[in-house]
């Protein structure tokens, strides 16, 4: 492999050409997907990888997906054996214990062979609206083991030498409620990957195999240099901060997440080993999620323009303790490690940085992806449906300005599902969808405001799972800024309105309504008169 690095102009050309391929793969997946969760909400991600899983380039999609996919893909390839991969194969897995997130997030990996040599991988990750388990949508809060959350897919072939493995697909679909949607979304991932393979093949036709490797190596080295240079501009120091989850999925509980952050020269260490043990409920997460959070925070604070590839993470050491909340081990349930715990890990790492920096860290955002799933059998056609959506909230204010309102923050980066799509696709009616006024924390710069959405079932009966956070606590303000307003979950059944815990599930019938209100962001700085 060539070792001479590209010059600055060549690196920029390579960076843009590779990132454009990743973006095109993601766009193709969105355009061809079946479920609103992917085609409207865009709950998916795409990237290009070296044969060993090293990240080369990725699209600007979901920070959580993008940060953990390199770990998952590297482990998947090692588990399957690179020597066993053939041209035309397509691998898939959703195993959280090798670095995945939760079971609905299925990773599809396509190898690129050029003149018989495996030189790259194209991969997409997408959140599927159902993968089985004890609740429609496969996001049960009350699961106590992974087997209750859905079907777990080991690293295996969906396609072998270009031929779909019909029996494998049939086995999967037999265990999934929304088989038509899930099958369509899986094949959309395969098709998007194929487009990426064609584009990389065209690129290698231009550059040659050695030129391709040289470009990838140069790009990673460039990213590492820039990252280390950005870290040196941060003050050296150590800070420790603890924040808490308020619910473990089964019952209210104060669960500490502790981060100790050390900046020394051009290296950052994030130690999460003092975090609580893994819990009985579904808020545990894989160690790859923790790594993803650390990389995200560093990029936000050091330089948001840093290229997102393996060079970005080389100066970061993340320490976790196996068997802890942020390094879950089999058979711990993990469905809400994404939606809840990752957001609190981000808050905690930000808090640790704030201990030894000034006017750098933003106030806390809403603190949850605030997920709602509603599913059952539609009596209109006798088929299963599964509505899945995460809701935005208030963004924390920062030293330079106020937080945005009703937006996805930190590890989430999806869009919303339009009200018209919800009412077309599901037996649901959107009663209200609005910004919660005055829910942002006060300050020199105010925190962003949360949102409120009410959904009513129009026919049949359904299982509702709602999971948010900051109901019992509030997103913290900084430097004299006020805390953000709390979240709320309410249900109206048979004319009776009751307030629910931050995480839970319930059964609703016709005209049953669920309302979720997300938290506002914390404010920043002492308020001035009239602000």
């Amino acid at each position: 492999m060539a070792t001479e690095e590209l010059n600055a102009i060549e690196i920029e050309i390579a960076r843009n050409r590779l990132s454009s391929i990743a973006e095109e793969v993601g766009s193709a997946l969105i355009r061809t997907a079946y479920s609103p969760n992917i085609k409207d909400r865009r709950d998916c991600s795409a990237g290009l990888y070296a044969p060993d899983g090293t990240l080369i380039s990725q699209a600007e999609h979901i920070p959580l997906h993008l940060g953990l996919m390199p770990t998952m893909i590297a482990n998947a390839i090692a588990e399957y054996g690179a020597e066993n991969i053939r041209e035309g194969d397509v691998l898939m897995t959703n195993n959280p214990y090798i670095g995945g997130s939760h079971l609905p997030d299925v990773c599809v990996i396509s190898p690129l062979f050029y003149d018989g040599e495996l030189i790259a991988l194209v991969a997409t990750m997408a959140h599927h609206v159902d993968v089985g388990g004890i609740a429609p949508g496969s996001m049960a809060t009350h699961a106590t083991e992974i087997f209750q959350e859905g079907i777990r897919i080991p690293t295996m072939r969906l396609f072998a030498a270009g031929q779909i493995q019909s029996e494998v697909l049939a086995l999967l679909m037999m265990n999934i409620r929304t088989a038509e949607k899930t099958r369509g979304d899986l094949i959309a991932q395969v098709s998007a990957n194929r487009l990426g393979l064609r584009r990389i093949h065209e690129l290698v036709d231009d550059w040659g195999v050695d030129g391709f490797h040289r470009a990838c190596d140069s790009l990673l080295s460039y990213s590492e240099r820039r990252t280390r240079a950005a870290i040196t501009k941060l003050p050296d120091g150590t800070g420790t901060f603890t924040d808490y989850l308020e619910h473990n999925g089964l019952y209210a509980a104060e669960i500490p997440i502790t981060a100790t952050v050390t900046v020394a020269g051009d290296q950052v260490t994030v130690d999460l080993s003092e975090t609580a043990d893994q819990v009985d409920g579904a808020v545990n997460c894989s160690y790859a999620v923790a790594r993803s959070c650390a990389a995200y925070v560093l990029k936000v604070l050091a330089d948001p323009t840093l290229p997102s590839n393996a060079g970005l993470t080389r100066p970061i050491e993340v320490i976790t303790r196996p068997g802890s909340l942020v390094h879950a081990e089999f058979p711990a349930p993990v469905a809400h490690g994404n939606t809840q715990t990752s957001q609190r890990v981000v808050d905690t790492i930000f808090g640790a940085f704030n201990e030894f920096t000034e006017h750098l860290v933003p106030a806390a955002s809403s603190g949850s992806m605030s997920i709602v799933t509603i599913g059952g059998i539609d009596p209109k056609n006798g088929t299963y449906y599964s509505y899945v959506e995460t809701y935005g909230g208030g963004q924390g204010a920062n030293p330079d300005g106020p937080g945005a309102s009703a937006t996805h923050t930190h590890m989430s980066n999806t869009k919303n599902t339009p009200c018209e799509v919800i009412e077309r696709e599901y037996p649901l009616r959107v009663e209200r969808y609005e910004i919660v006024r005055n829910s942002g924390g006060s300050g020199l710069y105010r925190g962003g405001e949360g949102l409120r959405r009410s959904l009513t079932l129009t026919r049949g009966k359904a299982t509702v799972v709602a999971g948010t956070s900051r109901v019992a606590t509030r997103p913290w303000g900084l430097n004299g800024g006020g805390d953000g307003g709390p979240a709320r979950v309410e249900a109206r059944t048979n004319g009776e309105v009751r307030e629910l815990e931050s995480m839970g599930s319930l059964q609703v019938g016709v005209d049953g309504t669920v309302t979720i209100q997300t938290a506002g962001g914390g404010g920043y700085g002492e308020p001035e008169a009239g602000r």
Side-chain angles (χ1 to χ4, degrees), residues 243-247 257 283 293 296 336-348 350 363-371 390-397 404 407-412 439 448-451 467-476 483-487 502-503 516-522:
D243 209 333
Y244 300 86
L245 286 179
E246 63 192 56
H247 207 286
I257 299 174
V283 296
C293 294
Y296 165 81
H336 293 268
N338 286 21
T339 61
Q340 310 303 330
T341 309
S342 72
Q343 300 289 66
R344 192 66 76 256
V345 171
V346 168
D347 286 344
T348 304
F350 272 136
S365 294
S366 57
S368 173
M369 296 184 192
S370 298
I371 191 166
T390 55
Y391 293 175
Q395 182 184 50
T407 190
H408 289 268
T409 59
H410 298 326
M411 305 311 290
S412 175
S439 60
E449 297 177 323
L451 63 78
T468 187
S469 192
R470 298 300 194 187
V471 171
T473 62
R474 296 193 177 197
W476 34 265
D483 293 343
S502 59
M503 298 183 70
I516 186 167
Q517 173 181 311
T518 62

Side-chain angles (χ1 to χ4, degrees), residues 36-354:
N37 198 52
I38 301 174
K39 67 182 179 183
D40 292 295
R41 289 192 59 243
R42 305 188 177 189
D43 195 347
C44 59
S45 298
L48 315 180
Y49 302 82
D52 64 354
T54 298
L55 175 62
I56 298 170
S57 186
Q58 59 187 201
E60 294 293 335
H61 288 156
I62 313 297
L64 185 86
H65 289 174
L66 298 170
L68 62 81
M69 285 173 70
T71 301
M72 186 180 197
I73 292 168
N75 288 335
I77 297 301
E79 179 180 77
Y80 191 82
E83 70 279 5
N84 297 319
I85 300 174
R86 301 290 181 264
E87 189 163 5
D89 287 353
V90 178
L91 305 180
M92 64 177 173
T93 183
N94 67 348
N95 187 0
Y97 307 118
I98 65 168
S101 49
H102 54 189
L103 299 186
D105 283 343
V106 179
C107 187
V108 174
I109 307 164
S110 300
L112 173 68
F113 285 82
Y114 195 93
D115 290 339
E117 177 188 355
L118 176 61
I119 65 169
L121 305 168
V122 177
T124 51
M125 177 173 279
H127 184 119
H128 292 262
V129 294
D130 192 89
V131 289
I134 58 176
S138 310
M139 290 294 296
T141 61
H142 59 292
T144 57
E145 58 180 359
I146 194 71
F147 300 105
Q148 298 168 339
E149 296 190 323
I151 188 166
R152 189 157 50 107
I153 307 168
T155 306
M156 61 191 304
R157 291 187 297 184
L158 178 59
F159 280 71
Q163 298 299 312
I164 191 167
Q165 301 299 281
S166 300
E167 292 180 347
V168 169
L169 190 60
L171 176 63
L172 290 179
M173 295 307 110
M174 185 70 74
N175 289 278
I176 292 172
R177 297 174 181 87
T178 57
E180 181 182 356
K181 288 284 195 296
T182 302
R183 183 188 295 109
D185 287 345
L186 267 178
I187 299 305
Q189 287 183 258
V190 174
S191 299
N193 285 7
R194 284 179 177 171
L195 174 60
L197 296 180
R198 291 202 304 272
R199 293 291 183 259
I200 298 176
H201 201 283
E202 293 165 359
L203 187 151
V204 179
D205 284 342
D206 289 346
W207 293 352
V209 173
D210 285 346
F212 175 72
H213 289 316
R214 180 184 173 211
C216 294
D217 291 345
S218 297
L219 186 57
L220 269 56
S221 296
Y222 165 72
S223 180
E224 181 180 359
R225 289 196 303 272
R226 280 193 56 188
T227 302
R228 292 190 182 279
I231 292 172
T232 60
K233 295 179 181 179
L234 298 173
D236 284 357
T238 298
T240 299
F241 188 83
T242 299
D243 209 333
Y244 300 86
L245 286 179
E246 63 192 56
H247 207 286
N248 69 7
L250 300 171
Y251 49 83
E254 193 174 76
I255 309 168
I257 299 174
T258 299
T260 297
V261 172
T262 300
V263 175
D266 64 356
Q267 184 77 25
V268 173
T269 301
V270 178
D271 187 345
L272 295 162
S273 61
E274 296 302 312
T275 294
D277 292 342
Q278 64 188 44
V279 297
D280 293 335
V283 296
N284 306 290
C285 66
S286 75
Y287 66 97
V289 170
R291 291 182 180 181
S292 180
C293 294
Y296 165 81
V297 170
L298 178 64
K299 185 170 179 177
V300 167
L301 298 182
D303 182 356
T305 69
L306 292 172
S308 293
N309 57 45
L312 171 68
T313 56
R314 286 174 181 169
I316 310 171
E317 180 184 12
V318 180
I319 302 170
T320 56
R321 176 172 51 84
S324 68
L325 184 76
V326 295
H327 191 145
E329 294 187 307
F330 175 84
V334 297
H336 293 268
N338 286 21
T339 61
Q340 310 303 330
T341 309
S342 72
Q343 300 289 66
R344 192 66 76 256
V345 171
V346 168
D347 286 344
T348 304
I349 298 174
F350 272 136
F353 266 105
N354 191 59

